[in-house]
């Protein structure tokens, strides 16, 4: 691509002079490479396959050790569950672009499911629903509020995700009254976080965020 030293700009044109200042352009008409070398993609593919092989071998080794050394407790399933979580959630969190609040919601859902799965694999004592899930919900609500404070020009873009997290928080008392959650304080804390965050968005948000609430909630 041609370049103008006077204006310090690149010019994609077959002309020999800069269209802004008329100074002679240097360089060629051929465009610069837009896409990175295919070698980079091959390296990433190789690393991903290598990590997948290591994950499989790790699971197989843990299963073998568990089978012959501690057959009374199948702890290898916890390792397999954690590896599945890593392969599903971590790439989504590290992916460029997308809505940050959506990634937070994904982490809350996946982390809660992981905790419940481990709870079941260890005999189900109820600690996941009573403590881990409320902690994930409160953390997610707080993270979205922080994102809103950082990016105040796009408050309306977080309404949907904060509304979903609010529903999760309001569902925790229901789990407590039905007997699934065993601790009242941890069950009602997400509801307090959820209602406080929604009230804060409605009070301090501009007209766009209020209109977004009306559009999402159909009133």
């Amino acid at each position: 691509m041609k370049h103008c030293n006077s204006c310090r700009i690149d010019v994609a044109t077959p002309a020999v002079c800069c269209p802004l200042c008329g100074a002679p352009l240097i360089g060629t008409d051929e465009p610069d490479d837009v896409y990175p070398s295919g070698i980079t993609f091959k390296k990433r593919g190789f690393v991903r396959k290598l990590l997948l092989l290591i994950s499989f071998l790790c699971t197989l080794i843990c299963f073998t050790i568990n089978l012959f050394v501690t057959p009374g407790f199948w702890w290898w399933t916890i390792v397999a569950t954690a590896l599945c979580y890593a392969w599903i959630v971590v790439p989504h969190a590290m992916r460029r672009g997308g809505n940050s609040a959506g990634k937070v919601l994904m982490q809350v859902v996946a982390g809660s499911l992981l905790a419940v799965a481990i709870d079941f694999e260890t005999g189900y004592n109820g600690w996941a629903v009573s403590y881990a899930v409320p902690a994930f919900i409160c953390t997610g609500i707080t993270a979205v509020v922080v994102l809103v404070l950082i990016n105040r020009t796009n408050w309306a873009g977080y309404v949907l995700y904060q509304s979903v997290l609010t529903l999760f928080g309001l569902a925790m008392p229901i789990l407590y009254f039905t007997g699934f959650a065993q601790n009242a304080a941890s069950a009602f804390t997400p509801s307090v976080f959820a209602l406080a965050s929604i009230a804060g968005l409605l009070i301090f948000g501009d007209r766009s965020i209020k209109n977004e609430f009306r559009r999402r909630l159909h009133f």
Side-chain angles (χ1 to χ4, degrees), residues 166-185:
T166 299
L167 292 177
F168 288 167
L170 296 177
M172 287 306 304
I174 299 176
L175 295 179
Y176 173 75
F177 288 120
T178 54
F180 289 98
Q182 302 169 358
N183 187 279

Side-chain angles (χ1 to χ4, degrees), residues 29-46:
D29 294 338
E30 298 181 358
D32 296 336
D33 293 334
V34 177
Y35 299 99
S37 173
I39 299 177
T40 303
F41 296 102
K42 290 182 180 179
K43 288 182 178 180
R44 291 179 181 176
F46 173 76

Side-chain angles (χ1 to χ4, degrees), residues 3-211:
H3 182 78
C4 176
N5 287 331
S6 299
C7 301
R8 297 182 180 180
I9 60 171
D10 294 324
V11 182
T13 175
V16 295
C17 296
C18 176
L20 298 179
C21 66
L25 297 174
I26 60 174
T28 63
D29 294 338
E30 298 181 358
D32 296 336
D33 293 334
V34 177
Y35 299 99
S37 173
I39 299 177
T40 303
F41 296 102
K42 290 182 180 179
K43 288 182 178 180
R44 291 179 181 176
F46 173 76
V47 172
R48 181 173 299 180
K49 292 178 181 179
L50 180 62
L51 291 175
L52 182 61
L53 176 61
I54 293 174
S55 300
F56 175 77
L57 292 177
C58 181
T59 304
L60 185 61
I61 292 172
C62 290
F63 171 77
T64 304
I65 295 174
N66 196 170
L67 180 64
F68 291 101
V69 178
T70 56
F73 173 61
W74 293 105
W75 53 265
W76 76 272
T77 58
I78 300 177
V79 177
T81 303
L83 288 174
C84 290
Y85 169 84
W87 275 101
I88 295 173
V89 177
V90 173
H92 179 268
M94 298 180 62
R95 187 180 304 165
R96 293 182 179 179
N99 193 303
S100 300
K103 294 181 179 181
V104 171
L105 178 61
M106 175 67 176
Q107 296 294 325
V108 171
V109 174
S112 299
L113 292 176
L114 174 65
V116 172
I118 294 177
D119 196 359
F120 271 102
E121 291 167 354
T122 55
Y124 190 73
N125 296 313
W127 58 266
V129 178
S130 298
Y131 300 102
V133 174
F136 275 112
I137 295 174
C138 292
T139 303
I141 293 173
T142 304
V144 174
V145 170
V146 171
L147 290 173
V148 169
L149 295 176
I150 294 175
N151 187 14
R152 297 189 179 186
T153 59
N154 189 30
W155 284 25
Y158 302 109
V159 168
L160 174 62
Y161 304 102
Q162 191 70 323
S163 299
V164 174
L165 289 170
T166 299
L167 292 177
F168 288 167
L170 296 177
M172 287 306 304
I174 299 176
L175 295 179
Y176 173 75
F177 288 120
T178 54
F180 289 98
Q182 302 169 358
N183 187 279
S186 61
F188 282 89
T189 299
S191 299
V192 175
F193 269 67
L195 294 175
S197 64
I198 293 298
L201 290 178
L202 290 174
I203 294 173
F204 296 102
D206 54 14
R207 181 175 298 179
S208 64
I209 195 169
K210 296 175 184 178
N211 292 335

